[in-house]
mmCIF file of all heavy atoms in Angstrom:
data_model
loop_
_atom_site.group_PDB
_atom_site.id
_atom_site.type_symbol
_atom_site.label_atom_id
_atom_site.label_comp_id
_atom_site.label_asym_id
_atom_site.label_seq_id
_atom_site.Cartn_x
_atom_site.Cartn_y
_atom_site.Cartn_z
ATOM 1 N N THR I 178 77.743 107.985 83.234
ATOM 2 C CA THR I 178 78.698 107.094 83.890
ATOM 3 C C THR I 178 79.983 107.836 84.206
ATOM 4 O O THR I 178 80.512 108.562 83.366
ATOM 5 C CB THR I 178 79.034 105.897 82.976
ATOM 6 O OG1 THR I 178 77.853 105.182 82.698
ATOM 7 C CG2 THR I 178 80.028 104.982 83.654
ATOM 8 N N GLN I 179 80.447 107.704 85.420
ATOM 9 C CA GLN I 179 81.695 108.336 85.817
ATOM 10 C C GLN I 179 82.777 107.268 85.801
ATOM 11 O O GLN I 179 82.796 106.355 86.604
ATOM 12 C CB GLN I 179 81.538 108.930 87.217
ATOM 13 C CG GLN I 179 80.489 110.034 87.249
ATOM 14 C CD GLN I 179 80.207 110.510 88.664
ATOM 15 O OE1 GLN I 179 79.388 109.944 89.355
ATOM 16 N NE2 GLN I 179 80.897 111.552 89.091
ATOM 17 N N GLN I 186 97.262 97.784 85.086
ATOM 18 C CA GLN I 186 96.226 96.763 85.136
ATOM 19 C C GLN I 186 96.750 95.494 85.795
ATOM 20 O O GLN I 186 96.030 94.808 86.516
ATOM 21 C CB GLN I 186 95.749 96.451 83.724
ATOM 22 C CG GLN I 186 94.516 95.569 83.665
ATOM 23 C CD GLN I 186 94.008 95.374 82.251
ATOM 24 O OE1 GLN I 186 94.565 95.932 81.291
ATOM 25 N NE2 GLN I 186 92.981 94.568 82.086
ATOM 26 N N SER I 207 82.583 112.343 95.926
ATOM 27 C CA SER I 207 82.395 112.792 97.306
ATOM 28 C C SER I 207 83.295 112.007 98.257
ATOM 29 O O SER I 207 83.656 112.513 99.326
ATOM 30 C CB SER I 207 80.938 112.640 97.726
ATOM 31 O OG SER I 207 80.548 111.281 97.659
ATOM 32 N N SER I 208 83.622 110.799 97.899
ATOM 33 C CA SER I 208 84.568 109.990 98.675
ATOM 34 C C SER I 208 85.120 108.924 97.752
ATOM 35 O O SER I 208 84.571 108.672 96.674
ATOM 36 C CB SER I 208 83.906 109.345 99.891
ATOM 37 O OG SER I 208 82.936 108.404 99.487
ATOM 38 N N GLN I 210 86.948 104.932 97.825
ATOM 39 C CA GLN I 210 87.265 103.746 98.620
ATOM 40 C C GLN I 210 88.230 102.851 97.865
ATOM 41 O O GLN I 210 88.237 102.826 96.635
ATOM 42 C CB GLN I 210 85.980 102.976 98.928
ATOM 43 C CG GLN I 210 84.958 103.783 99.698
ATOM 44 C CD GLN I 210 83.636 103.063 99.882
ATOM 45 O OE1 GLN I 210 83.305 102.157 99.139
ATOM 46 N NE2 GLN I 210 82.894 103.456 100.896
ATOM 47 N N TYR I 212 89.390 98.752 97.786
ATOM 48 C CA TYR I 212 89.033 97.401 98.187
ATOM 49 C C TYR I 212 90.115 96.436 97.695
ATOM 50 O O TYR I 212 90.820 96.701 96.720
ATOM 51 C CB TYR I 212 87.710 96.966 97.552
ATOM 52 C CG TYR I 212 86.489 97.709 98.029
ATOM 53 C CD1 TYR I 212 86.148 98.945 97.500
ATOM 54 C CD2 TYR I 212 85.659 97.157 99.000
ATOM 55 C CE1 TYR I 212 85.012 99.618 97.930
ATOM 56 C CE2 TYR I 212 84.516 97.812 99.427
ATOM 57 C CZ TYR I 212 84.199 99.042 98.885
ATOM 58 O OH TYR I 212 83.080 99.703 99.312
ATOM 59 N N GLN I 214 90.253 92.305 96.572
ATOM 60 C CA GLN I 214 89.423 91.144 96.281
ATOM 61 C C GLN I 214 90.317 89.949 95.987
ATOM 62 O O GLN I 214 91.257 90.046 95.189
ATOM 63 C CB GLN I 214 88.511 91.426 95.073
ATOM 64 C CG GLN I 214 87.552 90.300 94.742
ATOM 65 C CD GLN I 214 86.672 90.628 93.562
ATOM 66 O OE1 GLN I 214 86.972 91.527 92.764
ATOM 67 N NE2 GLN I 214 85.566 89.919 93.416
ATOM 68 N N GLY I 217 87.338 84.198 94.085
ATOM 69 C CA GLY I 217 86.211 83.487 94.665
ATOM 70 C C GLY I 217 85.549 84.204 95.829
ATOM 71 O O GLY I 217 84.658 83.635 96.478
ATOM 72 N N GLU I 218 85.967 85.432 96.090
ATOM 73 C CA GLU I 218 85.394 86.160 97.210
ATOM 74 C C GLU I 218 84.940 87.548 96.783
ATOM 75 O O GLU I 218 85.309 88.035 95.713
ATOM 76 C CB GLU I 218 86.418 86.288 98.339
ATOM 77 C CG GLU I 218 86.863 84.949 98.891
ATOM 78 C CD GLU I 218 87.855 85.105 100.020
ATOM 79 O OE1 GLU I 218 88.079 86.239 100.485
ATOM 80 O OE2 GLU I 218 88.422 84.070 100.441
ATOM 81 N N GLY I 219 84.149 88.180 97.639
ATOM 82 C CA GLY I 219 83.747 89.551 97.380
ATOM 83 C C GLY I 219 84.827 90.524 97.803
ATOM 84 O O GLY I 219 85.712 90.189 98.590
ATOM 85 N N PRO I 220 84.780 91.751 97.273
ATOM 86 C CA PRO I 220 85.761 92.772 97.680
ATOM 87 C C PRO I 220 85.659 93.070 99.165
ATOM 88 O O PRO I 220 84.575 93.024 99.749
ATOM 89 C CB PRO I 220 85.354 93.994 96.854
ATOM 90 C CG PRO I 220 84.557 93.453 95.705
ATOM 91 C CD PRO I 220 83.851 92.251 96.252
ATOM 92 N N VAL I 221 86.796 93.385 99.761
ATOM 93 C CA VAL I 221 86.860 93.752 101.172
ATOM 94 C C VAL I 221 87.402 95.167 101.274
ATOM 95 O O VAL I 221 88.448 95.479 100.700
ATOM 96 C CB VAL I 221 87.748 92.777 101.964
ATOM 97 C CG1 VAL I 221 87.901 93.252 103.412
ATOM 98 C CG2 VAL I 221 87.174 91.365 101.925
ATOM 99 N N LEU I 222 86.671 96.015 102.005
ATOM 100 C CA LEU I 222 87.060 97.417 102.118
ATOM 101 C C LEU I 222 88.379 97.567 102.869
ATOM 102 O O LEU I 222 88.579 96.988 103.935
ATOM 103 C CB LEU I 222 85.980 98.197 102.859
ATOM 104 C CG LEU I 222 86.236 99.686 103.058
ATOM 105 C CD1 LEU I 222 86.148 100.423 101.721
ATOM 106 C CD2 LEU I 222 85.260 100.284 104.062
ATOM 107 N N THR I 225 88.467 104.312 103.328
ATOM 108 C CA THR I 225 87.656 105.350 102.689
ATOM 109 C C THR I 225 88.359 106.680 102.903
ATOM 110 O O THR I 225 88.728 107.012 104.034
ATOM 111 C CB THR I 225 86.250 105.425 103.302
ATOM 112 O OG1 THR I 225 85.592 104.172 103.117
ATOM 113 C CG2 THR I 225 85.428 106.512 102.626
ATOM 114 N N VAL I 227 87.953 110.896 102.176
ATOM 115 C CA VAL I 227 86.830 111.804 101.970
ATOM 116 C C VAL I 227 87.280 113.207 101.572
ATOM 117 O O VAL I 227 86.685 113.837 100.707
ATOM 118 C CB VAL I 227 85.971 111.891 103.247
ATOM 119 C CG1 VAL I 227 84.830 112.870 103.063
ATOM 120 C CG2 VAL I 227 85.445 110.520 103.627
ATOM 121 N N LEU I 263 93.423 91.432 93.861
ATOM 122 C CA LEU I 263 92.912 92.450 92.943
ATOM 123 C C LEU I 263 92.548 93.676 93.755
ATOM 124 O O LEU I 263 91.730 93.598 94.669
ATOM 125 C CB LEU I 263 91.682 91.914 92.207
ATOM 126 C CG LEU I 263 91.015 92.867 91.206
ATOM 127 C CD1 LEU I 263 91.938 93.114 90.023
ATOM 128 C CD2 LEU I 263 89.681 92.295 90.737
ATOM 129 N N LEU I 265 90.873 97.343 93.939
ATOM 130 C CA LEU I 265 89.829 98.105 93.268
ATOM 131 C C LEU I 265 89.626 99.445 93.953
ATOM 132 O O LEU I 265 89.544 99.502 95.178
ATOM 133 C CB LEU I 265 88.502 97.344 93.313
ATOM 134 C CG LEU I 265 88.452 95.989 92.612
ATOM 135 C CD1 LEU I 265 87.316 95.149 93.167
ATOM 136 C CD2 LEU I 265 88.273 96.174 91.118
ATOM 137 N N GLY I 273 76.503 110.552 97.164
ATOM 138 C CA GLY I 273 77.033 109.504 98.026
ATOM 139 C C GLY I 273 76.316 108.184 97.902
ATOM 140 O O GLY I 273 76.645 107.231 98.603
ATOM 141 N N ASN I 274 75.331 108.111 97.010
ATOM 142 C CA ASN I 274 74.504 106.915 96.925
ATOM 143 C C ASN I 274 74.974 105.920 95.877
ATOM 144 O O ASN I 274 74.713 104.728 95.989
ATOM 145 C CB ASN I 274 73.062 107.295 96.602
ATOM 146 C CG ASN I 274 72.473 108.198 97.651
ATOM 147 O OD1 ASN I 274 72.962 108.251 98.769
ATOM 148 N ND2 ASN I 274 71.437 108.932 97.284
ATOM 149 N N GLN I 275 75.612 106.411 94.802
ATOM 150 C CA GLN I 275 76.044 105.539 93.719
ATOM 151 C C GLN I 275 77.554 105.387 93.742
ATOM 152 O O GLN I 275 78.277 106.315 94.121
ATOM 153 C CB GLN I 275 75.637 106.142 92.372
ATOM 154 C CG GLN I 275 74.217 105.805 91.985
ATOM 155 C CD GLN I 275 73.919 106.201 90.559
ATOM 156 O OE1 GLN I 275 73.366 107.259 90.317
ATOM 157 N NE2 GLN I 275 74.292 105.355 89.629
ATOM 158 N N PHE I 276 78.006 104.199 93.316
ATOM 159 C CA PHE I 276 79.424 103.908 93.314
ATOM 160 C C PHE I 276 79.886 103.509 91.930
ATOM 161 O O PHE I 276 79.192 102.788 91.206
ATOM 162 C CB PHE I 276 79.734 102.783 94.311
ATOM 163 C CG PHE I 276 79.625 103.225 95.730
ATOM 164 C CD1 PHE I 276 78.410 103.177 96.389
ATOM 165 C CD2 PHE I 276 80.725 103.724 96.401
ATOM 166 C CE1 PHE I 276 78.292 103.610 97.689
ATOM 167 C CE2 PHE I 276 80.619 104.152 97.711
ATOM 168 C CZ PHE I 276 79.404 104.099 98.355
ATOM 169 N N TYR I 277 81.096 103.977 91.587
ATOM 170 C CA TYR I 277 81.695 103.679 90.301
ATOM 171 C C TYR I 277 83.064 103.057 90.573
ATOM 172 O O TYR I 277 83.918 103.684 91.199
ATOM 173 C CB TYR I 277 81.839 104.957 89.470
ATOM 174 C CG TYR I 277 80.515 105.645 89.252
ATOM 175 C CD1 TYR I 277 80.091 106.641 90.127
ATOM 176 C CD2 TYR I 277 79.674 105.282 88.214
ATOM 177 C CE1 TYR I 277 78.866 107.259 89.959
ATOM 178 C CE2 TYR I 277 78.450 105.901 88.033
ATOM 179 C CZ TYR I 277 78.051 106.889 88.915
ATOM 180 O OH TYR I 277 76.830 107.483 88.756
ATOM 181 N N PHE I 278 83.217 101.817 90.110
ATOM 182 C CA PHE I 278 84.448 101.088 90.369
ATOM 183 C C PHE I 278 85.422 101.206 89.218
ATOM 184 O O PHE I 278 85.026 101.261 88.040
ATOM 185 C CB PHE I 278 84.149 99.607 90.600
ATOM 186 C CG PHE I 278 83.724 99.283 91.997
ATOM 187 C CD1 PHE I 278 82.434 99.528 92.419
ATOM 188 C CD2 PHE I 278 84.623 98.725 92.888
ATOM 189 C CE1 PHE I 278 82.044 99.233 93.716
ATOM 190 C CE2 PHE I 278 84.242 98.422 94.187
ATOM 191 C CZ PHE I 278 82.946 98.668 94.591
ATOM 192 N N GLY I 279 86.706 101.230 89.570
ATOM 193 C CA GLY I 279 87.740 101.096 88.567
ATOM 194 C C GLY I 279 87.810 99.652 88.089
ATOM 195 O O GLY I 279 87.185 98.756 88.671
ATOM 196 N N THR I 280 88.571 99.412 87.038
ATOM 197 C CA THR I 280 88.657 98.069 86.461
ATOM 198 C C THR I 280 89.605 97.159 87.232
ATOM 199 O O THR I 280 89.653 95.970 86.983
ATOM 200 C CB THR I 280 89.101 98.128 84.996
ATOM 201 O OG1 THR I 280 90.262 98.941 84.906
ATOM 202 C CG2 THR I 280 87.999 98.717 84.121
ATOM 203 N N ARG J 206 75.027 80.312 95.016
ATOM 204 C CA ARG J 206 76.383 80.740 94.702
ATOM 205 C C ARG J 206 76.698 80.515 93.229
ATOM 206 O O ARG J 206 77.467 81.258 92.629
ATOM 207 C CB ARG J 206 77.386 79.978 95.571
ATOM 208 C CG ARG J 206 77.313 80.302 97.053
ATOM 209 C CD ARG J 206 77.837 81.717 97.351
ATOM 210 N NE ARG J 206 79.103 81.997 96.704
ATOM 211 C CZ ARG J 206 80.291 81.655 97.190
ATOM 212 N NH1 ARG J 206 80.362 80.990 98.330
ATOM 213 N NH2 ARG J 206 81.395 81.979 96.545
ATOM 214 N N TYR J 228 71.588 100.683 103.733
ATOM 215 C CA TYR J 228 71.942 100.722 102.319
ATOM 216 C C TYR J 228 72.298 99.326 101.825
ATOM 217 O O TYR J 228 73.080 98.615 102.450
ATOM 218 C CB TYR J 228 73.142 101.657 102.138
ATOM 219 C CG TYR J 228 73.604 101.879 100.716
ATOM 220 C CD1 TYR J 228 73.072 102.898 99.944
ATOM 221 C CD2 TYR J 228 74.607 101.092 100.167
ATOM 222 C CE1 TYR J 228 73.512 103.135 98.649
ATOM 223 C CE2 TYR J 228 75.051 101.298 98.879
ATOM 224 C CZ TYR J 228 74.505 102.330 98.119
ATOM 225 O OH TYR J 228 74.945 102.556 96.831
ATOM 226 N N TYR J 232 75.782 94.538 92.318
ATOM 227 C CA TYR J 232 76.782 94.813 91.304
ATOM 228 C C TYR J 232 76.954 93.577 90.431
ATOM 229 O O TYR J 232 76.718 92.456 90.872
ATOM 230 C CB TYR J 232 78.144 95.119 91.949
ATOM 231 C CG TYR J 232 78.177 96.355 92.802
ATOM 232 C CD1 TYR J 232 77.825 96.307 94.153
ATOM 233 C CD2 TYR J 232 78.577 97.567 92.276
ATOM 234 C CE1 TYR J 232 77.870 97.443 94.942
ATOM 235 C CE2 TYR J 232 78.629 98.714 93.057
ATOM 236 C CZ TYR J 232 78.274 98.634 94.384
ATOM 237 O OH TYR J 232 78.315 99.769 95.168
ATOM 238 N N GLN J 234 80.124 91.893 87.989
ATOM 239 C CA GLN J 234 81.550 92.019 87.696
ATOM 240 C C GLN J 234 81.868 91.223 86.450
ATOM 241 O O GLN J 234 81.628 90.016 86.394
ATOM 242 C CB GLN J 234 82.393 91.503 88.877
ATOM 243 C CG GLN J 234 83.879 91.745 88.708
ATOM 244 C CD GLN J 234 84.682 91.387 89.947
ATOM 245 O OE1 GLN J 234 84.300 90.520 90.727
ATOM 246 N NE2 GLN J 234 85.795 92.080 90.172
ATOM 247 N N GLY J 237 87.495 92.925 82.518
ATOM 248 C CA GLY J 237 87.817 94.138 81.776
ATOM 249 C C GLY J 237 86.883 95.304 82.043
ATOM 250 O O GLY J 237 87.165 96.436 81.625
ATOM 251 N N LEU J 238 85.772 95.047 82.732
ATOM 252 C CA LEU J 238 84.799 96.116 82.994
ATOM 253 C C LEU J 238 84.679 96.453 84.473
ATOM 254 O O LEU J 238 84.006 97.416 84.843
ATOM 255 C CB LEU J 238 83.425 95.721 82.452
ATOM 256 C CG LEU J 238 83.333 95.542 80.944
ATOM 257 C CD1 LEU J 238 81.935 95.062 80.562
ATOM 258 C CD2 LEU J 238 83.661 96.844 80.214
ATOM 259 N N GLY J 239 85.260 95.640 85.313
ATOM 260 C CA GLY J 239 85.182 95.893 86.747
ATOM 261 C C GLY J 239 83.791 95.640 87.292
ATOM 262 O O GLY J 239 82.979 94.940 86.686
ATOM 263 N N LEU J 240 83.496 96.219 88.433
ATOM 264 C CA LEU J 240 82.166 96.104 89.030
ATOM 265 C C LEU J 240 81.302 97.268 88.571
ATOM 266 O O LEU J 240 81.741 98.417 88.593
ATOM 267 C CB LEU J 240 82.243 96.140 90.557
ATOM 268 C CG LEU J 240 82.623 94.853 91.257
ATOM 269 C CD1 LEU J 240 84.109 94.834 91.529
ATOM 270 C CD2 LEU J 240 81.859 94.715 92.555
ATOM 271 N N GLN J 242 77.398 98.984 89.082
ATOM 272 C CA GLN J 242 76.259 98.979 89.993
ATOM 273 C C GLN J 242 74.963 98.802 89.207
ATOM 274 O O GLN J 242 74.699 99.528 88.236
ATOM 275 C CB GLN J 242 76.233 100.272 90.799
ATOM 276 C CG GLN J 242 75.307 100.237 91.990
ATOM 277 C CD GLN J 242 75.522 101.432 92.906
ATOM 278 O OE1 GLN J 242 75.872 102.527 92.469
ATOM 279 N NE2 GLN J 242 75.307 101.245 94.191
ATOM 280 N N TYR J 245 70.434 100.063 93.705
ATOM 281 C CA TYR J 245 70.744 100.241 95.113
ATOM 282 C C TYR J 245 69.484 100.649 95.857
ATOM 283 O O TYR J 245 68.485 101.062 95.245
ATOM 284 C CB TYR J 245 71.869 101.260 95.326
ATOM 285 C CG TYR J 245 71.568 102.663 94.859
ATOM 286 C CD1 TYR J 245 71.040 103.624 95.727
ATOM 287 C CD2 TYR J 245 71.841 103.037 93.546
ATOM 288 C CE1 TYR J 245 70.779 104.906 95.299
ATOM 289 C CE2 TYR J 245 71.579 104.325 93.113
ATOM 290 C CZ TYR J 245 71.052 105.253 93.984
ATOM 291 O OH TYR J 245 70.797 106.538 93.558
ATOM 292 N N MET J 247 68.269 102.730 99.508
ATOM 293 C CA MET J 247 68.649 103.515 100.677
ATOM 294 C C MET J 247 67.962 103.000 101.939
ATOM 295 O O MET J 247 68.463 103.211 103.043
ATOM 296 C CB MET J 247 68.262 104.972 100.459
ATOM 297 C CG MET J 247 68.923 105.607 99.254
ATOM 298 S SD MET J 247 70.680 105.842 99.528
ATOM 299 C CE MET J 247 70.611 107.149 100.757
ATOM 300 N N LYS J 254 67.956 103.135 90.382
ATOM 301 C CA LYS J 254 68.778 102.518 89.358
ATOM 302 C C LYS J 254 70.236 102.922 89.524
ATOM 303 O O LYS J 254 70.550 104.071 89.845
ATOM 304 C CB LYS J 254 68.290 102.943 87.964
ATOM 305 C CG LYS J 254 66.896 102.450 87.629
ATOM 306 C CD LYS J 254 66.464 102.962 86.263
ATOM 307 C CE LYS J 254 65.054 102.485 85.938
ATOM 308 N NZ LYS J 254 64.594 102.990 84.609
ATOM 309 N N GLY J 255 71.097 101.945 89.253
ATOM 310 C CA GLY J 255 72.517 102.228 89.190
ATOM 311 C C GLY J 255 72.914 102.484 87.745
ATOM 312 O O GLY J 255 72.143 103.029 86.966
ATOM 313 N N ASP J 256 74.091 102.021 87.399
ATOM 314 C CA ASP J 256 74.628 102.268 86.064
ATOM 315 C C ASP J 256 74.072 101.343 84.991
ATOM 316 O O ASP J 256 73.968 101.731 83.835
ATOM 317 C CB ASP J 256 76.150 102.108 86.131
ATOM 318 C CG ASP J 256 76.865 103.291 85.560
ATOM 319 O OD1 ASP J 256 76.213 104.346 85.386
ATOM 320 O OD2 ASP J 256 78.063 103.179 85.269
ATOM 321 N N LEU J 285 79.309 87.593 87.160
ATOM 322 C CA LEU J 285 79.480 87.353 88.585
ATOM 323 C C LEU J 285 78.782 88.488 89.317
ATOM 324 O O LEU J 285 79.098 89.657 89.095
ATOM 325 C CB LEU J 285 80.968 87.314 88.930
ATOM 326 C CG LEU J 285 81.347 87.077 90.390
ATOM 327 C CD1 LEU J 285 80.771 85.762 90.909
ATOM 328 C CD2 LEU J 285 82.865 87.081 90.541
ATOM 329 N N PHE J 287 77.437 90.482 92.793
ATOM 330 C CA PHE J 287 77.710 90.719 94.202
ATOM 331 C C PHE J 287 76.633 91.612 94.811
ATOM 332 O O PHE J 287 76.239 92.611 94.224
ATOM 333 C CB PHE J 287 79.066 91.402 94.397
ATOM 334 C CG PHE J 287 80.233 90.519 94.140
ATOM 335 C CD1 PHE J 287 80.924 90.591 92.942
ATOM 336 C CD2 PHE J 287 80.648 89.603 95.094
ATOM 337 C CE1 PHE J 287 82.008 89.770 92.701
ATOM 338 C CE2 PHE J 287 81.735 88.777 94.864
ATOM 339 C CZ PHE J 287 82.414 88.863 93.665
ATOM 340 N N PHE J 293 75.201 104.238 106.443
ATOM 341 C CA PHE J 293 75.711 105.501 105.954
ATOM 342 C C PHE J 293 76.371 106.193 107.123
ATOM 343 O O PHE J 293 75.728 106.495 108.121
ATOM 344 C CB PHE J 293 74.595 106.376 105.395
ATOM 345 C CG PHE J 293 75.103 107.715 104.921
ATOM 346 C CD1 PHE J 293 75.943 107.801 103.833
ATOM 347 C CD2 PHE J 293 74.763 108.881 105.575
ATOM 348 C CE1 PHE J 293 76.431 109.026 103.391
ATOM 349 C CE2 PHE J 293 75.233 110.113 105.145
ATOM 350 C CZ PHE J 293 76.061 110.180 104.053
ATOM 351 N N ALA J 296 80.426 110.159 106.268
ATOM 352 C CA ALA J 296 81.526 110.354 105.321
ATOM 353 C C ALA J 296 81.369 109.442 104.113
ATOM 354 O O ALA J 296 82.153 109.518 103.192
ATOM 355 C CB ALA J 296 82.850 110.062 106.008
ATOM 356 N N GLY J 297 80.388 108.606 104.127
ATOM 357 C CA GLY J 297 80.198 107.700 102.999
ATOM 358 C C GLY J 297 79.804 106.318 103.473
ATOM 359 O O GLY J 297 79.666 106.073 104.663
ATOM 360 N N TYR J 298 79.620 105.456 102.499
ATOM 361 C CA TYR J 298 79.221 104.093 102.814
ATOM 362 C C TYR J 298 80.436 103.185 102.842
ATOM 363 O O TYR J 298 81.247 103.216 101.941
ATOM 364 C CB TYR J 298 78.245 103.584 101.756
ATOM 365 C CG TYR J 298 76.980 104.391 101.656
ATOM 366 C CD1 TYR J 298 76.875 105.441 100.771
ATOM 367 C CD2 TYR J 298 75.890 104.088 102.454
ATOM 368 C CE1 TYR J 298 75.715 106.180 100.678
ATOM 369 C CE2 TYR J 298 74.727 104.815 102.366
ATOM 370 C CZ TYR J 298 74.640 105.863 101.474
ATOM 371 O OH TYR J 298 73.503 106.591 101.393
ATOM 372 N N GLU J 299 80.555 102.359 103.859
ATOM 373 C CA GLU J 299 81.596 101.345 103.914
ATOM 374 C C GLU J 299 80.921 100.019 103.636
ATOM 375 O O GLU J 299 80.288 99.433 104.515
ATOM 376 C CB GLU J 299 82.289 101.366 105.269
ATOM 377 C CG GLU J 299 82.996 102.698 105.526
ATOM 378 C CD GLU J 299 83.958 102.652 106.685
ATOM 379 O OE1 GLU J 299 83.914 101.676 107.454
ATOM 380 O OE2 GLU J 299 84.744 103.600 106.832
ATOM 381 N N GLN J 300 81.033 99.583 102.423
ATOM 382 C CA GLN J 300 80.249 98.459 101.955
ATOM 383 C C GLN J 300 80.856 97.114 102.325
ATOM 384 O O GLN J 300 82.057 96.912 102.193
ATOM 385 C CB GLN J 300 80.079 98.538 100.432
ATOM 386 C CG GLN J 300 79.321 99.790 99.997
ATOM 387 C CD GLN J 300 79.092 99.807 98.514
ATOM 388 O OE1 GLN J 300 78.135 99.243 98.007
ATOM 389 N NE2 GLN J 300 79.999 100.459 97.808
ATOM 390 N N PHE J 302 80.579 93.180 101.244
ATOM 391 C CA PHE J 302 80.131 92.423 100.093
ATOM 392 C C PHE J 302 79.850 90.969 100.452
ATOM 393 O O PHE J 302 80.505 90.385 101.323
ATOM 394 C CB PHE J 302 81.192 92.449 98.988
ATOM 395 C CG PHE J 302 81.208 93.723 98.209
ATOM 396 C CD1 PHE J 302 81.816 94.865 98.709
ATOM 397 C CD2 PHE J 302 80.612 93.790 96.956
ATOM 398 C CE1 PHE J 302 81.821 96.052 97.988
ATOM 399 C CE2 PHE J 302 80.620 94.963 96.222
ATOM 400 C CZ PHE J 302 81.218 96.093 96.736
ATOM 401 N N GLY J 303 78.869 90.411 99.752
ATOM 402 C CA GLY J 303 78.623 88.985 99.846
ATOM 403 C C GLY J 303 79.650 88.207 99.054
ATOM 404 O O GLY J 303 80.529 88.787 98.412
ATOM 405 N N PRO J 304 79.557 86.864 99.062
ATOM 406 C CA PRO J 304 80.560 86.024 98.416
ATOM 407 C C PRO J 304 80.410 85.919 96.903
ATOM 408 O O PRO J 304 81.291 85.398 96.234
ATOM 409 C CB PRO J 304 80.331 84.659 99.061
ATOM 410 C CG PRO J 304 78.876 84.669 99.395
ATOM 411 C CD PRO J 304 78.555 86.077 99.797
#
Side-chain angles (χ1 to χ4, degrees):
Chain I
T178 300
Q179 297 173 274
Q186 189 175 358
S207 61
S208 66
Q210 300 174 338
Y212 293 82
Q214 183 179 19
E218 299 181 9
V221 175
L222 180 70
T225 299
V227 178
L263 180 67
L265 298 158
N274 300 340
Q275 276 190 263
F276 288 87
Y277 302 93
F278 277 79
T280 50
Chain J
R206 293 289 313 276
Y228 183 89
Y232 296 87
Q234 186 173 28
L238 296 176
L240 279 95
Q242 194 169 32
Y245 62 93
M247 300 290 290
K254 295 178 181 179
D256 232 15
L285 180 58
F287 288 101
F293 178 67
Y298 299 92
E299 297 194 347
Q300 298 184 85
F302 282 79

